[in-house]
Amino acid sequence: MIKRLLPLLFFVITISNTNAQRKIEPDATDIAKAKKLKSIFDNDEDDVALEESTDFVSFDFDSKHNKVTVSHEMREKMINMSTRADIQKYCFYDGQSDIEAFEINYKNDRSARFYFKDEAYNSEDLFHNDARVKYTAVDFPIQGYRYNTYIKKTYKDIKYFTKLYFNDEYPTANKIISVDIPDWLDIELKEMNFEGFDIEKTTEPSPKSKSTRHIYKLKDISAMAKASNAPGPTYIYPHLLILAKSYTKNGETKPIFNSTQDLYNWYSSLTKSLKNDNTPFKSKVAELIKDAKTDEEKIKSIYYWVQDNIRYIAFEDGIAGFQPDEAANVFNKKYGDCKGMANLTKQMLIEAGFDARLTWIGTKHIAYDYSTPNLSVDNHMICSLFKDGDILFLDGTEKFNAFGEYADRIQGKQVMIEDNDKYILKEVPVSNAEFNKEAFVYNLSLDKEVLKGTASKTYNGESRSGLLYFFDQLKSDKKEEFLEYFLNKGNSNIKVSNIETSDLSNRDLNVSMDYDIEIKNAASSFDNSIYIDLDIDKELSNYDFKERDVDYIFNSKKYLESTTNLSIPDGYNISQLPKDIDISSDNYDLSVTFTTSTGLLSYKKVFKIKNAKIETSDFDEWNTFNEELNTVYKEQIILTKN
């Protein structure tokens, strides 16, 4: 009897599985939807889109710890727009948050039974970190394939719930953000970058739950840009900045971050809890300043020691990474994050008798300033030195930055400086592009078909500090090899020799390099003419923004002045030169010129990137310039015999 039932049972299971498979495979409607979304998001590189994405946020009160908690529920309907797609679906959390649910279902809401991993988050930039990630690999075998996802993430303290974006990693057809704010909670949903977006906003009071629901809707949203050197997302994407001000319970109102003072009070409570026993480095400070003749020499000695001897490793631990490590711990371990390094710099300067203070700052990656009291306003910590009525900023993470110089990433940014129970707001000074000047001079002549001569290069500001840092990382036996490679750009046709440099261990000096140079295969003779490719550097040749839709951000302002002087051989005249170029905008001045005098051709390039960025409004003009520049680089100079 059992043997007779087995074939029937197998048949029933097969039919059941087949029917189940049919329920999850794309039908004509799914495929049509996938094709329609592909046409809408034709400029996006993604194969997967979100047909619907809904964020629902609600708040509760943890009476045991007197904290406002947050529940953030995320539902998505994912669909494959292409023939096949494989993605990772993930969610981050840390010591102040938890993932209570993470589900991925087929379109019929049956579990897809993916295997989830839950592990500490690691990257090259994070050494020790309390962040974790829960994730799984998701495959879309054919066009129109769908999954429904549900994630519920909770926050133990509303402080750490800072913003909500409309854009996602994938293009989204319909986005809804719904926030339920109870009557006892004073919270502002600050609308950021809404201009130019058709965002529909409604509110619905709920007398029963004594709350107000704020609903935002937006359609057909592109994915967040995956382009390199893009502005920080807070500059370009519409989002809600969550400003949690206060809560009222039992007739008593308690502040959260109602003002910048509240934000500072919380930061200050973390720094005041530090013991900061300076005993382990007292003798080191004494050693560093014993031969210094001036206060500036003392400060430099301490500041440069921190730069050179404390390894910067971005790590977050404890209270979501906001509390600095003890200065003695950083000194003994010889590594720390920006907060730990700032604290060590401060304590070593205090030990030397100076007025040094911890300072919070958001780099240029962040659009906000301290008028918005929110934990996302800053992402960095430095040290401020009060001296002779001035405030100087010291950033130990910027290797080989000279005293009094500031990296472009913090220039012009507002800082919050500790001042006992108060705070001081200042801005980091701004340097112009000329501060980072690179000046190249080549003096060349023709020896048959070889260009020979001398070259001189100088590097200032951030162009100097970046070069010194890279040079310092090399093993001592590789430094000469690197210099040759750096100067000949790895081109076997270029030979450099007799290199003389400034002191490459002294960050207070601009870098200078003088050397002899020979360039083969840059000149060729035919009949009565000589054809010369005069440019060996070809700066900016690869900066084509035709396929880009977000601003391009350089790591610093740029100023290049390059002059190549070519001696014209006796009996020859210049019969062909490329055309000059000269364009300007608020963000750049760019020129290429050729001038001639008796027996000499001077080829000069001046490239100034004034604000460390090229905006999308510049792209048409910039791309035209780039085409003309590459034409100059490709076009040969022709000398013809008289």
Side-chain angles (χ1 to χ4, degrees):
M1 184 68 177
I2 293 176
K3 290 182 181 180
R4 292 180 182 177
L5 286 175
L6 284 177
L8 179 61
L9 181 61
F10 176 78
F11 177 76
V12 170
I13 292 174
T14 302
I15 293 296
S16 177
N17 288 341
T18 301
N19 289 336
Q21 187 68 26
R22 285 173 182 166
K23 290 180 181 179
I24 63 175
E25 287 182 348
D27 55 25
T29 302
D30 296 329
I31 295 172
K33 185 66 177 180
K35 290 179 178 179
K36 181 180 179 181
L37 291 173
K38 187 64 177 176
S39 66
I40 293 173
F41 301 116
D42 185 50
N43 293 328
D44 282 279
E45 300 175 3
D46 297 282
D47 294 325
V48 173
L50 305 181
E51 185 178 0
E52 292 181 13
S53 174
T54 301
D55 289 55
F56 177 70
V57 178
S58 59
F59 305 93
D60 204 345
F61 187 72
D62 178 359
S63 56
K64 181 179 180 180
H65 300 97
N66 289 322
K67 291 180 179 179
V68 179
T69 61
V70 184
S71 171
H72 183 194
E73 297 179 79
M74 296 159 274
R75 299 180 185 274
E76 295 175 345
K77 291 185 177 181
M78 300 188 294
I79 184 170
N80 178 25
M81 300 183 292
S82 188
T83 53
R84 179 181 176 83
D86 295 281
I87 66 169
Q88 277 194 341
K89 190 64 185 172
Y90 54 86
C91 186
F92 291 103
Y93 68 104
D94 55 33
Q96 295 297 321
S97 59
D98 291 303
I99 298 176
E100 295 191 1
F102 197 152
E103 302 171 5
I104 300 181
N105 299 320
Y106 294 117
K107 69 175 184 177
N108 61 1
D109 282 331
R110 287 179 57 242
S111 173
R113 296 185 179 180
F114 286 112
Y115 174 72
F116 288 89
K117 293 184 179 180
D118 191 331
E119 58 190 40
Y121 175 66
N122 296 302
S123 77
E124 294 178 359
D125 297 324
L126 293 172
F127 175 72
H128 182 52
N129 177 36
D130 68 352
R132 296 186 65 84
V133 60
K134 190 170 185 178
Y135 67 98
T136 188
V138 181
D139 65 303
F140 295 79
I142 54 177
Q143 187 180 47
Y145 211 83
R146 295 174 178 269
Y147 291 104
N148 298 331
T149 70
Y150 173 69
I151 300 173
K152 182 178 181 181
K153 182 176 178 180
T154 57
Y155 296 79
K156 301 173 185 178
D157 190 333
I158 196 173
K159 292 185 184 75
Y160 302 101
F161 184 67
T162 58
K163 51 188 174 291
L164 288 163
Y165 283 101
F166 288 85
N167 298 74
D168 196 274
E169 184 178 2
Y170 305 103
T172 305
N174 296 282
K175 179 70 178 184
I176 300 174
I177 295 177
S178 183
V179 183
D180 268 17
I181 302 178
D183 294 350
W184 51 265
L185 179 62
D186 183 6
I187 189 171
E188 177 187 353
L189 304 177
K190 189 168 184 178
E191 299 169 358
M192 308 295 292
N193 303 331
F194 273 37
E195 301 82 6
F197 294 92
D198 188 18
I199 299 175
E200 177 187 333
K201 176 184 174 182
T202 58
T203 57
E204 298 176 356
S206 176
K208 185 176 180 180
S209 61
K210 295 183 179 180
S211 66
T212 301
R213 179 167 296 184
H214 300 256
I215 303 170
Y216 297 84
K217 296 181 180 180
L218 182 60
K219 294 181 178 295
D220 298 338
I221 318 160
S222 295
M224 284 190 173
K226 297 174 178 63
S228 61
N229 295 81
T234 54
Y235 287 95
I236 54 179
Y237 298 118
H239 62 281
L240 297 173
L241 187 62
I242 311 298
L243 300 181
K245 298 182 176 182
S246 64
Y247 66 88
T248 301
K249 286 290 182 179
N250 301 319
E252 187 177 3
T253 299
K254 295 284 188 180
I256 304 174
F257 289 151
N258 194 40
S259 64
T260 305
Q261 183 67 51
D262 291 329
L263 178 64
Y264 173 74
N265 290 344
W266 187 72
Y267 282 162
S268 182
S269 71
L270 301 180
T271 59
K272 285 178 179 177
S273 67
L274 299 173
K275 295 183 178 63
N276 280 326
D277 178 8
N278 295 351
T279 305
F281 49 81
K282 279 180 180 288
S283 59
K284 172 55 71 175
V285 172
E287 174 192 332
L288 289 171
I289 66 176
K290 67 178 181 179
D291 296 326
K293 297 180 176 61
T294 65
D295 282 349
E296 183 172 316
E297 288 181 4
K298 292 179 182 179
I299 296 163
K300 283 183 178 181
S301 184
I302 292 171
Y303 179 38
Y304 294 167
W305 184 89
V306 173
Q307 285 186 342
D308 294 344
N309 293 277
I310 304 300
R311 183 184 173 201
Y312 169 61
I313 308 174
F315 70 91
E316 299 177 0
D317 200 11
I319 309 173
F322 289 95
Q323 186 169 39
D325 195 4
E326 298 282 354
N329 290 341
V330 178
F331 177 81
N332 290 328
K333 293 182 299 186
K334 295 296 185 290
Y335 67 79
D337 70 348
C338 63
K339 300 178 296 297
M341 294 180 76
N343 191 32
L344 177 60
T345 305
K346 168 192 170 179
Q347 293 303 130
M348 292 183 78
L349 288 169
I350 288 175
E351 192 64 35
F354 296 102
D355 181 2
R357 310 182 192 182
L358 294 178
T359 301
W360 294 263
I361 183 173
T363 64
K364 282 193 172 179
H365 190 71
I366 296 175
Y368 319 130
D369 62 21
Y370 286 99
S371 64
T372 53
N374 178 289
L375 291 185
S376 63
V377 71
D378 49 41
N379 60 347
H380 193 38
M381 182 178 278
I382 59 178
C383 175
S384 292
L385 176 70
F386 286 66
K387 184 78 171 65
D388 300 329
D390 291 331
I391 302 177
L392 297 165
F393 304 105
L394 308 176
D395 186 351
T397 70
E398 292 291 344
K399 305 300 184 182
F400 281 93
N401 257 30
F403 176 63
E405 294 183 5
Y406 309 117
D408 188 80
R409 69 182 184 131
I410 66 171
Q411 288 181 25
K413 292 294 292 183
Q414 191 181 55
V415 298
M416 184 167 67
I417 307 169
E418 61 179 348
D419 189 30
N420 295 317
D421 292 334
K422 301 294 182 180
Y423 61 89
I424 298 170
L425 295 180
K426 293 289 183 181
E427 288 187 358
V428 178
V430 176
S431 300
N432 57 26
E434 285 82 353
F435 182 76
N436 299 324
K437 184 176 181 179
E438 300 177 48
F440 303 165
V441 177
Y442 298 96
N443 292 305
L444 304 174
S445 60
L446 272 168
D447 182 359
K448 296 182 180 178
E449 293 188 347
V450 178
L451 290 172
K452 293 183 177 181
T454 61
S456 176
K457 295 188 173 184
T458 58
Y459 299 84
N460 304 269
E462 290 199 70
S463 69
R464 178 211 67 229
S465 59
L467 181 57
L468 288 180
Y469 176 68
F470 186 78
F471 190 76
D472 183 68
Q473 300 304 298
L474 299 171
K475 295 179 180 178
S476 58
D477 60 344
K478 297 290 186 182
K479 291 183 178 180
E480 287 299 322
E481 182 181 325
F482 164 72
L483 273 177
E484 288 190 20
Y485 182 85
F486 176 75
L487 293 172
N488 69 18
K489 301 184 179 298
N491 188 340
S492 60
N493 289 312
I494 301 174
K495 179 183 177 182
V496 299
S497 58
N498 301 323
I499 304 171
E500 294 183 3
T501 71
S502 56
D503 182 357
L504 298 181
S505 64
N506 189 341
R507 75 206 73 198
D508 289 321
L509 298 177
N510 292 325
V511 171
S512 65
M513 300 180 181
D514 299 286
Y515 54 98
D516 296 332
I517 186 168
E518 291 186 10
I519 310 168
K520 297 179 180 179
N521 294 326
S524 55
S525 301
F526 295 97
D527 298 328
N528 293 323
S529 298
I530 302 174
Y531 301 84
I532 303 172
D533 181 359
L534 197 56
D535 197 309
I536 65 172
D537 295 314
K538 296 180 172 57
E539 300 90 351
L540 300 182
S541 60
N542 296 320
Y543 286 81
D544 182 340
F545 301 137
K546 290 178 181 176
E547 303 298 324
R548 193 180 179 92
D549 58 3
V550 293
D551 297 351
Y552 185 92
I553 307 298
F554 291 88
N555 58 5
S556 64
K557 302 178 184 73
K558 307 289 183 184
Y559 187 95
L560 169 71
E561 187 175 288
S562 174
T563 302
T564 302
N565 298 312
L566 175 66
S567 296
I568 307 301
D570 291 340
Y572 281 84
N573 289 323
I574 301 170
S575 59
Q576 178 175 302
L577 285 175
K579 293 180 180 179
D580 292 351
I581 308 173
D582 188 4
I583 65 170
S584 292
S585 79
D586 291 339
N587 288 318
Y588 50 77
D589 295 325
L590 309 164
S591 67
V592 177
T593 57
F594 294 86
T595 58
T596 59
S597 58
T598 304
L600 186 69
L601 167 65
S602 289
Y603 164 43
K604 187 172 184 178
K605 294 174 289 185
V606 179
F607 298 154
K608 183 193 294 188
I609 311 296
K610 306 175 193 177
N611 302 308
K613 65 181 178 180
I614 309 298
E615 296 178 280
T616 54
S617 57
D618 296 318
F619 282 1
D620 287 344
E621 182 183 56
W622 176 276
N623 289 331
T624 299
F625 157 77
N626 194 253
E627 290 177 2
E628 293 175 351
L629 180 64
N630 281 300
T631 298
V632 169
Y633 288 158
K634 293 174 184 177
E635 188 174 347
Q636 293 179 312
I637 295 166
I638 302 177
L639 308 181
T640 304
K641 186 176 289 188
N642 295 340

